[in-house]
Amino acid sequence: MSTTRRAAVLGSPIAHSLSPVLHRAAYGELGLADRTYDLFDVDEAALPGFLKSLGPEWAGLSLTMPLKRAVIPLLDEISETAASVEAVNTVVFRDDGRRVGDNTDIPGMVAALRERGIEQVESAAILGAGATASSALAALARICTGEVVAYVRSEARAAEMRQWGERLGVEVRTADWADAERALSAPLVIATTPAGATDALSAAVPERPATLFDVLYDPWPTALAARWSMYGGAVVSGLDLLVHQAVLQVEQMTGHTSAPLAAMRKAGEHALAARQD
């Protein structure tokens, strides 16, 4: 009987995912030769059948779009963190067969900022209002003592962000995307927008910027992150987030209490560099 324990990342599209690189690096560093980590292109329609097909050798799953919300009704339990943003990116299969969902993006954001010495901020700005923005708000609920200003493109998005703020206990004020340059003077700026969306803002980076958390990692650096670094500001990247949330996933799926952050980051950096060659 095989003793191999399996895990994988699911999503659609999924070929670009760095999760296999990070998790396999962790397994190698921890000496877990009996662990495998794969990726599967699974959309919302295929998710129930995929979960039903899994055997007892499965330890856990990482989930990306569009599955983070679709998986919730298929689980036996979700953590308070996942429930707070209605998004699950981690599923762990218990020995008794229960499927338990969690969200490691939120504590991953907090850990990535803490690694750069950001323990607490008096205020912050968020660029964008998608799913990642709600996770950013949840992270800010843990470290921001004052107002968060969200710069958005529509009143519908603005209303959503205000609702998330009320739900998460964060004081949220919304502003029009046309005024997004004002965000750059905040003590902490979290950019949650797609590639290219903040490029035009790079010319407005102040001479002494504080901290930018740009959730993108490929291509890297973004125009905004490059200008921010050039002016001496602290920059936290999407790879930092990806690695920190993956550390927490590895720990939950393997039972190890200290996943190898440095080895996982190095593997991610090498994989990204190879894509750009």
Side-chain angles (χ1 to χ4, degrees), residues 118 121-127 140 144 147-151 173 180-190 204-206 208-213 228 233-234:
I118 310 298
V121 291
E122 294 181 357
S123 62
I126 295 178
L127 299 173
L140 288 171
C144 184
E147 182 183 67
V148 176
V149 184
Y151 291 82
R173 176 167 62 86
E181 290 183 2
R182 297 180 182 178
L184 307 185
S185 60
L188 171 62
V189 181
I190 304 182
V205 173
R208 294 185 179 181
T211 300
L212 171 68
F213 194 154
W228 203 277

Side-chain angles (χ1 to χ4, degrees), residues 236-268:
V236 184
S237 74
L239 181 61
D240 294 320
L241 168 59
L242 195 65
V243 170
H244 276 283
Q245 66 82 26
V247 160
L248 298 170
Q249 289 185 335
V250 168
E251 291 172 355
Q252 290 191 33
M253 293 179 192
T254 68
H256 281 260
T257 57
S258 184
L261 174 69
M264 293 168 70
R265 176 181 276 126
K266 185 176 181 181

Side-chain angles (χ1 to χ4, degrees), residues 42-142:
V42 177
D43 61 16
E44 293 174 82
L47 183 60
F50 185 91
L51 288 177
K52 192 174 182 179
S53 73
L54 302 183
E57 73 276 15
W58 282 85
L61 297 169
S62 307
L63 301 174
T64 186
M65 300 305 291
L67 306 179
K68 292 184 178 184
R69 184 164 293 177
V71 75
I72 293 176
L74 307 174
L75 302 177
D76 297 300
E77 177 187 342
I78 66 172
S79 68
E80 288 185 13
T81 302
S84 72
V85 291
E86 297 179 2
V88 165
N89 77 328
T90 307
V91 176
V92 175
F93 299 101
R94 304 294 189 207
D95 291 339
D96 61 3
R98 289 175 60 79
R99 302 166 175 171
V100 180
D102 192 15
N103 186 308
T104 63
D105 286 331
I106 295 165
M109 282 187 175
V110 174
L113 286 165
R114 184 175 294 127
E115 186 181 27
R116 303 301 172 88
I118 310 298
E119 299 277 352
Q120 190 177 85
V121 291
E122 294 181 357
S123 62
I126 295 178
L127 299 173
T132 306
S134 61
S135 292
L137 272 181
L140 288 171
R142 304 183 180 194

Side-chain angles (χ1 to χ4, degrees), residues 192-214:
T192 70
T193 49
T198 62
D199 287 0
L201 296 177
S202 61
V205 173
E207 288 188 5
R208 294 185 179 181
T211 300
L212 171 68
F213 194 154
D214 194 325

Side-chain angles (χ1 to χ4, degrees), residues 213-238:
F213 194 154
D214 194 325
V215 303
L216 296 174
Y217 61 84
D218 187 14
W220 186 262
T222 62
L224 182 61
R227 180 66 64 92
W228 203 277
S229 294
M230 187 174 75
Y231 281 16
V235 175
V236 184
S237 74

